[in-house]
Amino acid sequence: MTPAVALTAALVLLAILLVPGYVLLRGLGVLRLQALAGAPAIAALELGALAVVCHWTGLPWTRTTALGGLAVLTCAALPLRRLTMRGRQPGPQPRPWPPLLIALGLAALVSGTAWMIGAQDIDAAMQASDGVWHLNAAAYVRTLLDAYPVGALAPMYWGEIHYYPVAWHSLVAILPGTIPTSANLVALLGLSVVWPLGCASLLAALFPVGRRTVLDGMPVLAGTLASTAATAPFVMMTTLWPYGWSVCLLPGVLALIVTARRVPAFYLRRGSQSPWGGALAAALAAMGLVYVHGAAAFNLAILGAPVLLVASMEAVRGWWGRTPHSRLVVLGACAALVLLVVAGAHVFWDQLSMLLSYSRSRAVVSTVFVEALRDDVMIYRIPDAGVGSALLTVMAMIGVVVSVRREIHRWAVLAAALAMLLLVASVWAASPLHILATPWYVQKSRILPLLEIPVLVLAMTALREALAHLRTVRERTGPRGGARWRRVVAGALALVAVVVPVATAAVRAPLHERVVAYAYQPEVSVWPVMLAPGEREFLESSAELLPEGAIILSEPTNGSAYYWSLTGTEVVFPSLRRNSEPDRLYVSEHATQIRTDPEVCAALGRLGAHYLYLDADRSEGRVPAGGERARWRNSLKNFPIGALRLVATDGTHSLWLITACGWEE
């Protein structure tokens, strides 16, 4: 992969993420920063709609059709502003603020550098077990030219039709370059651009900068940098790409929800010049977020519901006694909401029942509070020692007191409490609360982003209070006597409140480098490895020796599953999980009997698999975490050599033609 191709792919990705959504949101009257931060979620929604249209009309899902469709939607959104602002006088538009641009640039530099150092190469293949699944799934979307969420990934389910959120895969499929490069670019820009931009938008909405001085804007500036200290986005984007992508989009969507209030409170920035435009923008962005990953609906329930609850209580008080029928309107709205939830549960009951039956090994509840204090990675394989983000969390605790006393950002207090409840429920297996964490597969690391966002907001609430206290002390006291010490103390507190978030971001960067390295570098990986150092080069060179349409048989955890995403050579087992399809199951169980059981050759013929891949070193070069072991019992590694003819080898890895069935190629 040349740097020019990678740069081209990055620019195409940025254009897809920012341009169509920005134009639409600006057409709805949303202000610039919120429109830019919410644009990726709108782009996800538009790509999803285009994928459905392409499937129904028989159009292929290619870069041309996707970009062409986005261009049509963007042009269609251009006249929206006239409709939105009809009868309204446009208000003053805040201009780009250089200090915020610098803060966003620094945040991108910190996170982007951490990712690049950890991965080492933009074309690297992720080694975590879910990585090979999603790489192959994206390769199928690109090859089969279909991004319909119901059935597009049928080859990954042995031909069975299932619903699966393919927003991430469809985005990766239309980017230039290899599948690993495209996947890594989405991760890189998600961590270095989308996440900090969303956090900046949320903070700018909650802490409006009136005079636009650096001191007044410090909660936004320091908070933008502090957003890079969040651990969960890095963990998710190196283990669970689609869910991690939805996590990166979450702050930008939340900012639109926060600013969608018709009459914002005194401490909130106006989000849109049109009340209905702001509400529609928030709804569309939320739909795009949920399309990316279904679990995002639960994330929005934890973070967005408190925002709407605090806002709706004021509206309910006003409506309740306004007219004789107003109470019926309120009760009807509540009933409609309940019916919507019940209908959604009924439609997705298969997925929900699967989640409700999911379980993990229990852990000590008390450790969760320590991990939350430190913003731990919450995955036992990844070591994380030291103070972590404890000081930022302590600031957030102070922010809780400020929030309650000042009656500002109370939704963040409620959201943080709910997130902590879910974290406790995820490890307290003996408690009825355990069921609450099942939408997140009772996995702490999936829940962690729901704590990090309100913690950031509450920490900046404490920072703003410290700056306000400093300003008050300066106004009320003189430069001499005892008053001088009060000024010094207030200044010191304000300085500490500014330094802590910025320093936390710097301190956590090395951990983020290691988190990425653990998923990409075999020599330091904490995950069992499938691709040994140098094995990828053998896969790519050996694939060039194969005829078009060749299919390879092998046990997938030995690295062979990467043939499909890296070289475009199809494999019998693109997933690590056990296969229940009859031919695949029979071959895997009776491979050693190929010379005596004609049904083995018959099954291989129906599968089209004429080649076999073997790996003689299952320690994968004696890497620290060892090689990934087979997930199900099979005899593929014991294939009789007498039934094969060597095609290529590097001494450890080998590709063979299965000659026992009479095949010559």
Side-chain angles (χ1 to χ4, degrees):
M1 173 61 61
T2 63
V5 174
L7 179 60
T8 301
L11 293 176
V12 170
L13 177 58
L14 275 176
I16 291 174
L17 294 179
L18 299 181
V19 176
Y22 180 81
V23 171
L24 175 61
L25 291 177
R26 290 290 290 153
L28 293 174
V30 177
L31 300 187
R32 290 190 181 95
L33 181 57
Q34 278 71 40
L36 199 61
I42 298 296
L45 181 64
E46 293 182 342
L47 288 173
L50 291 172
V52 172
V53 170
C54 286
H55 178 83
W56 286 353
T57 59
L59 291 174
W61 182 254
T62 64
R63 188 179 313 125
T64 301
T65 55
L67 295 180
L70 288 176
V72 171
L73 292 175
T74 302
C75 292
L78 290 175
L80 266 180
R81 189 164 182 80
R82 291 184 179 179
L83 297 175
T84 306
M85 300 306 298
R86 180 176 293 178
R88 289 186 176 87
Q89 190 67 28
Q93 289 286 314
R95 296 180 179 179
W97 191 35
L100 180 56
L101 297 178
I102 294 172
L104 287 169
L106 291 174
L109 181 64
V110 170
S111 293
T113 301
W115 192 95
M116 287 302 301
I117 292 175
Q120 292 189 327
D121 186 357
I122 194 64
D123 197 36
M126 189 168 81
Q127 295 270 16
S129 61
D130 279 356
V132 66
W133 196 98
H134 291 299
L135 287 172
N136 284 339
Y140 274 117
V141 172
R142 177 179 286 186
T143 304
L144 300 179
L145 308 176
D146 186 15
Y148 192 59
V150 182
L153 301 186
M156 299 299 295
Y157 294 100
W158 328 122
E160 298 176 2
I161 303 299
H162 292 280
Y163 167 80
Y164 195 89
V166 295
W168 179 89
H169 309 86
S170 62
L171 177 60
V172 169
I174 61 175
L175 296 179
T178 65
I179 291 293
T181 294
S182 301
N184 291 336
L185 281 173
V186 175
L188 176 60
L189 294 185
L191 293 169
S192 61
V193 176
V194 178
W195 170 266
L197 181 61
C199 291
S201 173
L202 178 60
L203 294 171
L206 296 172
F207 305 97
V209 184
R211 293 180 293 177
R212 287 209 162 192
T213 63
V214 172
L215 191 62
D216 284 345
M218 192 54 68
V220 178
L221 302 177
T224 300
L225 289 174
S227 69
T228 64
T231 301
F234 276 88
V235 174
M236 292 297 97
M237 288 303 268
T238 52
T239 53
L240 303 167
W241 272 322
Y243 180 72
W245 182 233
S246 75
V247 167
C248 290
L249 301 181
L250 185 56
V253 176
L254 188 60
L256 291 175
I257 295 175
V258 166
T259 56
R261 300 177 61 176
R262 182 176 179 85
V263 183
F266 69 93
Y267 55 85
L268 284 179
R269 180 189 186 191
R270 180 192 54 188
S272 174
Q273 294 179 305
S274 166
W276 70 265
L280 180 58
L284 292 174
M287 292 169 60
L289 180 63
V290 174
Y291 176 73
V292 170
H293 200 284
F298 299 99
N299 292 345
L300 283 176
I302 299 300
L303 294 180
V307 174
L308 298 177
L309 178 63
V310 172
S312 62
M313 289 305 295
E314 299 174 5
V316 168
R317 291 193 195 101
W319 268 81
W320 191 251
R322 181 177 297 179
T323 67
H325 302 291
S326 59
R327 296 186 182 186
L328 293 177
V329 172
V330 173
L331 293 175
C334 294
L337 179 61
V338 171
L339 288 175
L340 182 63
V341 172
V342 172
H346 175 73
V347 171
F348 294 100
W349 178 247
D350 289 342
Q351 291 82 358
L352 289 175
S353 59
M354 182 270 293
L355 290 173
L356 293 174
S357 63
Y358 202 86
S359 63
R360 294 182 187 269
S361 57
R362 66 182 65 187
V364 181
V365 173
S366 59
T367 61
V368 173
F369 292 95
V370 178
E371 291 173 338
L373 177 69
R374 298 174 56 251
D375 190 27
D376 195 279
V377 294
M378 296 196 179
I379 293 182
Y380 75 94
R381 288 181 180 272
I382 300 178
D384 182 12
V387 176
S389 299
L391 295 179
L392 188 67
T393 308
V394 170
M395 276 186 63
M397 293 177 181
I398 299 172
V400 170
V401 178
V402 175
S403 177
V404 173
R405 290 187 60 188
R406 303 289 190 189
E407 296 188 357
I408 58 173
H409 313 323
R410 290 173 294 173
W411 67 267
V413 179
L414 179 56
L418 291 174
M420 280 304 308
L421 177 64
L422 291 174
L423 287 172
V424 171
S426 68
V427 300
W428 196 359
S431 167
L433 294 175
H434 196 61
I435 195 174
L436 297 176
T438 52
W440 295 269
Y441 292 88
V442 292
Q443 189 174 16
K444 295 180 292 182
S445 57
R446 291 177 184 249
I447 301 171
L448 184 58
L450 307 183
L451 180 64
E452 290 176 332
I453 292 174
V455 161
L456 178 64
V457 171
L458 292 170
M460 295 307 102
T461 302
L463 170 56
R464 183 182 184 183
E465 182 69 10
L467 294 174
H469 178 65
L470 174 61
R471 188 179 299 109
T472 301
V473 170
R474 284 181 173 178
E475 292 173 353
R476 294 182 179 179
T477 61
R480 296 186 179 183
R484 179 182 178 185
W485 290 107
R486 287 198 293 272
R487 291 163 62 96
V488 171
V489 171
L493 289 174
L495 180 62
V496 169
V498 171
V499 170
V500 165
V502 176
T504 300
V507 169
R508 296 301 272 175
L511 170 68
H512 297 161
E513 295 174 11
R514 295 196 303 273
V515 167
V516 178
Y518 293 150
Y520 282 90
Q521 298 182 34
E523 298 85 354
V524 300
S525 176
V526 296
W527 308 101
V529 171
M530 288 171 278
L531 283 178
E535 186 173 2
R536 175 176 178 172
E537 288 74 14
F538 176 76
L539 296 182
E540 293 172 337
S541 62
S542 62
E544 296 176 355
L545 305 175
L546 297 175
E548 185 177 354
I551 299 176
I552 297 174
L553 171 70
S554 187
E555 200 286 306
T557 57
N558 67 1
S560 63
Y562 283 95
Y563 260 115
W564 177 233
S565 60
L566 295 180
T567 71
T569 303
E570 198 165 359
V571 293
V572 174
F573 296 103
S575 171
L576 306 186
R577 69 185 183 93
R578 186 176 186 273
N579 188 287
S580 59
E581 191 269 330
D583 284 338
R584 289 179 170 86
L585 186 61
Y586 193 87
V587 167
S588 67
E589 292 179 347
H590 300 86
T592 56
Q593 304 166 24
I594 187 170
R595 288 183 291 187
T596 59
D597 184 355
E599 184 57 29
V600 176
C601 282
L604 285 173
R606 288 190 292 269
L607 293 172
H610 295 185
Y611 294 86
L612 177 75
Y613 177 81
L614 294 176
D615 186 346
D617 180 15
R618 295 312 305 272
S619 71
E620 304 297 349
R622 300 186 181 277
V623 294
E628 180 72 80
R629 297 304 175 190
R631 301 292 181 86
W632 36 274
R633 184 176 299 177
N634 64 82
S635 59
L636 294 173
K637 64 180 179 181
N638 299 320
F639 217 94
I641 297 299
L644 308 170
R645 186 177 74 208
L646 185 65
V647 175
T649 183
D650 63 358
T652 301
H653 313 99
S654 54
L655 182 65
W656 305 78
L657 174 67
I658 302 174
T659 56
C661 298
W663 296 317
E664 295 300 326
E665 65 172 25

